[in-house]
Amino acid sequence: MRTPPESPLADDVLRLVRSAWEPDAARATYLPVGFGAHHWRIDAPSGPVLFATLDVPTGFRTTPLTRAAYRGVVELAEAGFSGAVVPRLTATGDVAVTAGNGLLSVTPWLEGRSPDEVEARGSAHALRVAALLADLHRCPAPPSAPTWTSRVASGFAERLMTKLSEPWTAGPLSEEAHRTISRARGDLPEWERRYGRLVAHARSRRHLWVPTHGEPHHANQFLDDHGLRLVDWETLAIAPPERDIRDLPEEARGDFTIDERLLELF
């Protein structure tokens, strides 16, 4: 997300922030960071005060699902979970406002850092993440949180093989992707069948599903004087715990009861 979106512009973001969250906001500065969402630093006369995020809907992550996920993490915090950087509510008690074709939310501006991949794979840090995820998984399901669903509809392999009969020109890696998937075309139907069996197994264990972050990797981990927290909660869902555990190094999984088939699924 190195370049700002065509809409909203920084002035539009500033106007929305003033209206919904911070009347004294003086400037919105675009931040070329992150993956999948746009971000701005919101300054007031005394300095940075808010971190604004624009989530753009996709076929898998719609605006209602994002709004529900953010409401869910607010409910987690209200119930006592301290491991999240939580969206700040608007003046009317909402978690976000519509902006362009996306959803604008804010969190407090915090001074801290994310660990790099090497630090995140280290034993001491990975065990901290595992303890945080265990706390999350013990929380009661937030009423607003979405429930995980399969992203692969029936007939996926057949549709994909139809697309392989055409050239792929959408971007600089299109041809390479086409060649790679074409080499596996004979395996696609069985992969889809295997995936379907794993999804059915997950659903048979619905009573064991818990609140999950969905992407607790190093880039969504935040370290500051408060300790370790997770950011980017638009992926929150009630799901098998393996949805989160799959991001932990094997040596940090010891305190979890793990279903290897669900690790494979995720």
Side-chain angles (χ1 to χ4, degrees), residues 129-178:
V129 176
L132 178 59
L133 292 176
D135 286 345
L136 171 62
H137 295 173
R138 282 192 291 266
C139 292
S144 298
T147 298
W148 175 83
T149 59
S150 167
R151 291 187 172 190
V152 180
S154 178
F156 173 80
E158 182 178 355
R159 291 192 301 275
L160 180 53
M161 284 192 279
T162 297
K163 290 183 178 294
L164 288 173
S165 66
E166 307 165 354
W168 290 8
T169 58
L173 298 179
S174 293
E175 292 184 5
E176 181 181 348
H178 188 283

Side-chain angles (χ1 to χ4, degrees), residues 164 175-188 191:
L164 288 173
E175 292 184 5
E176 181 181 348
H178 188 283
R179 288 193 299 271
T180 300
I181 298 173
S182 292
R183 287 195 292 269
R185 71 168 63 228
D187 296 317
L188 293 174
W191 289 350

Side-chain angles (χ1 to χ4, degrees), residues 74-86:
V74 169
E75 293 166 350
L76 279 172
E78 291 172 345
F81 179 66
S82 60
V85 176
V86 182

Side-chain angles (χ1 to χ4, degrees), residues 37-253:
H38 296 283
H39 301 287
W40 291 262
R41 186 183 75 185
I42 307 300
D43 287 278
S46 58
V49 291
L50 296 172
F51 183 77
T53 297
L54 179 74
D55 288 293
V56 179
T58 69
F60 297 127
R61 194 170 298 161
T62 64
T63 293
L65 282 176
T66 299
R67 191 183 291 275
Y70 284 154
R71 176 63 64 183
V73 72
V74 169
E75 293 166 350
L76 279 172
E78 291 172 345
F81 179 66
S82 60
V85 176
V86 182
R88 179 172 155 184
L89 297 180
T90 69
T92 58
D94 205 348
V95 290
V97 298
T98 300
N101 68 336
L103 202 62
L104 187 73
S105 61
V106 304
T107 58
W109 181 269
L110 302 172
E111 295 292 342
R113 65 182 182 86
S114 291
D116 61 25
E117 292 187 68
V118 174
E119 180 181 1
R121 304 299 291 184
S123 177
H125 181 84
L127 289 172
R128 290 182 69 187
V129 176
L132 178 59
L133 292 176
D135 286 345
L136 171 62
H137 295 173
R138 282 192 291 266
C139 292
S144 298
T147 298
W148 175 83
T149 59
S150 167
R151 291 187 172 190
V152 180
S154 178
F156 173 80
E158 182 178 355
R159 291 192 301 275
L160 180 53
M161 284 192 279
T162 297
K163 290 183 178 294
L164 288 173
S165 66
E166 307 165 354
W168 290 8
T169 58
L173 298 179
S174 293
E175 292 184 5
E176 181 181 348
H178 188 283
R179 288 193 299 271
T180 300
I181 298 173
S182 292
R183 287 195 292 269
R185 71 168 63 228
D187 296 317
L188 293 174
E190 176 52 32
W191 289 350
E192 181 181 350
R193 287 191 289 270
R194 175 64 178 166
Y195 179 79
R197 292 192 292 269
L198 293 173
V199 169
H201 176 63
R203 289 172 176 159
S204 75
R205 296 166 59 86
R206 178 66 179 80
H207 60 290
L208 299 176
W209 291 17
V210 297
T212 62
H213 179 280
E215 295 180 348
H217 52 70
H218 74 99
N220 285 336
Q221 299 166 14
F222 186 81
L223 294 161
D224 64 2
D225 292 341
H226 174 90
L228 171 67
R229 286 178 285 179
L230 295 173
V231 301
D232 288 358
W233 285 85
E234 74 279 0
T235 51
L236 171 68
I238 308 305
E242 287 83 359
R243 183 173 183 248
D244 285 340
I245 296 169
R246 56 90 187 263
D247 274 321
L248 289 173
E250 286 192 23
E251 61 269 22
R253 300 174 181 174

